[in-house]
Amino acid sequence: MEGRKFVPYSHDRVVTFNEGDLPWPKVALGSFSRSGNSLIRNLFEQITGIYTGSDMRLVPESPLRMALYDAGCRGESVTDDRIWICKTHFPEFAELELNFKAEMAIILVRNPFDVIDSYFNMGATASQNSSIEETEYERFASHWNNFVNEKATIWAHFHQFWLSAPIPCYIVRYEDLKESPKATIENVFKFLTSSDDLSESGLQKNVDDYFADAERKTAIYKPRVGQNLKSLRHYSKEQLNTVFEVCKTEMEKLGYLSEDFLTEDKFSMLGEDRLKDLRSNSNFIEEFNERGLEAAKTRRSLGKYAPKEVVTVNDPKAWDKIPESDYFDIIIRDVQPNIKRQD
């Protein structure tokens, strides 16, 4: 990062593409769908002044992607050196013609219960921020049950891939980003710059000025109305147990089996004995992020002699696609779900 300062933040500063050679390692922002990548992309863009990219193709037959572009995500379908940080859902999805080589990665995670529920609403409404009426979960019970089973498997597979990536990686939990956005994003930038001091690059002042701005842009689009784990009301006891069984290893690593997460008031349906069996406190994230930061610092110090490991995002050789059913074409085309009115 030496010799390159970020443009100072101001409320009316225009976000732009990087010009010329990229002076930093290319970063993959790996997240399973509905894990909050639009939220963190807005933070990156507002604080750095540089658009984030995306490996999702902009095509008219994908209105959700077109809606992101219209909302201001000008880096959609851009994976070259015009951008520093590039969103990807690989290996959940693969856009083989938009592959890029990532030298570092941010792994944005969210608990599978809220992810799967949000995903179902996005697909059923063909919208980033709309929700189906509560009665529709009963109406589409068989679709919802199959969707839970399918997406739980893909959620686990996705995180297995990124948690074993051979490049410096840093885990960000969506729940932490919502609760403590400033502290969380400061730590992310320390990883990305391989430095404990953000002042030299100008990022510390940008972070401070952004969060001090009462009229700052806080989101790319108005998100769905929801609270942490409010989605649990849509799951049966059997469905909850399915998610735990399929995703247990990754949930434990990511802190989703801790006592703070598995509280009796939220998971009362399972009973205290089952919760005791499930609970497990883990220091995995702290240790993983410490290793990632040290690896990033080592790369920086070695310069051109640094290890050359990369992750080729959208590499067909690394894509072990799990077959998915076409629920939403059926629901939207044949049934027309009832959608909650937005306030």
Side-chain angles (χ1 to χ4, degrees), residues 135-169:
T135 54
E136 301 300 75
Y137 284 90
E138 182 175 349
R139 186 181 179 204
F140 302 128
S142 62
H143 290 307
W144 169 239
N145 187 66
N146 292 336
F147 190 80
V148 170
N149 293 335
E150 184 177 279
K151 292 303 179 187
T153 299
I154 300 173
W155 186 93
H157 179 259
F158 175 90
H159 292 92
Q160 289 165 10
F161 175 86
W162 281 107
L163 293 177
S164 60
I167 57 176
C169 295

Side-chain angles (χ1 to χ4, degrees), residues 131-333:
S131 303
I132 57 176
E133 291 284 2
E134 292 296 311
T135 54
E136 301 300 75
Y137 284 90
E138 182 175 349
R139 186 181 179 204
F140 302 128
S142 62
H143 290 307
W144 169 239
N145 187 66
N146 292 336
F147 190 80
V148 170
N149 293 335
E150 184 177 279
K151 292 303 179 187
T153 299
I154 300 173
W155 186 93
H157 179 259
F158 175 90
H159 292 92
Q160 289 165 10
F161 175 86
W162 281 107
L163 293 177
S164 60
I167 57 176
C169 295
Y170 191 92
I171 297 169
V172 179
R173 297 204 322 171
Y174 171 83
E175 294 82 2
D176 299 331
L177 189 63
K178 290 285 287 185
E179 183 177 348
S180 305
K182 183 179 180 183
T184 301
I185 205 68
E186 283 177 336
N187 286 331
V188 173
F189 279 126
K190 289 176 182 178
F191 165 71
L192 293 177
T193 60
S194 311
S195 174
D196 295 325
D197 183 7
L198 300 178
S199 58
E200 182 180 346
S201 62
L203 281 172
Q204 188 63 62
K205 187 174 189 310
N206 281 8
V207 169
D208 293 340
D209 289 349
Y210 171 77
F211 282 99
D213 182 1
E215 297 182 354
R216 66 184 180 272
K217 181 181 178 182
T218 58
I220 291 172
Y221 58 83
K222 183 180 179 182
R224 290 178 61 241
V225 177
Q227 299 175 353
N228 188 34
L229 292 178
K230 193 176 181 180
S231 64
L232 292 178
R233 67 190 188 279
H234 300 143
Y235 291 81
S236 67
K237 182 177 181 179
E238 291 71 24
Q239 289 167 343
L240 289 179
N241 278 316
T242 293
V243 174
F244 281 119
E245 291 306 315
V246 173
C247 303
K248 184 176 181 180
T249 299
E250 289 67 44
M251 289 182 70
E252 180 179 16
K253 290 178 178 178
L254 299 175
Y256 296 129
L257 295 185
S258 67
E259 292 183 22
D260 290 340
F261 185 81
L262 291 184
T263 58
E264 191 171 359
D265 61 321
K266 288 187 171 67
F267 290 90
S268 58
M269 186 188 303
L270 295 178
E272 183 58 26
D273 289 342
R274 173 62 171 151
L275 290 177
K276 285 181 179 178
D277 290 339
L278 286 169
R279 286 184 183 128
S280 175
N281 293 318
S282 170
N283 294 322
F284 179 85
I285 291 180
E286 292 83 353
E287 295 171 356
F288 183 94
N289 285 350
E290 285 178 7
R291 291 196 302 271
L293 180 57
E294 288 306 310
K297 288 180 177 179
T298 298
R299 278 198 173 198
R300 180 185 181 186
S301 66
L302 292 176
K304 66 179 182 179
Y305 301 106
K308 302 301 182 184
E309 290 96 339
V310 296
V311 169
T312 302
V313 178
N314 296 317
D315 181 358
K317 296 178 182 178
W319 190 37
D320 184 18
K321 179 171 171 56
I322 298 175
E324 298 180 72
S325 302
D326 207 358
Y327 303 105
F328 302 129
D329 280 352
I330 297 171
I331 292 174
I332 295 171
R333 182 187 65 230

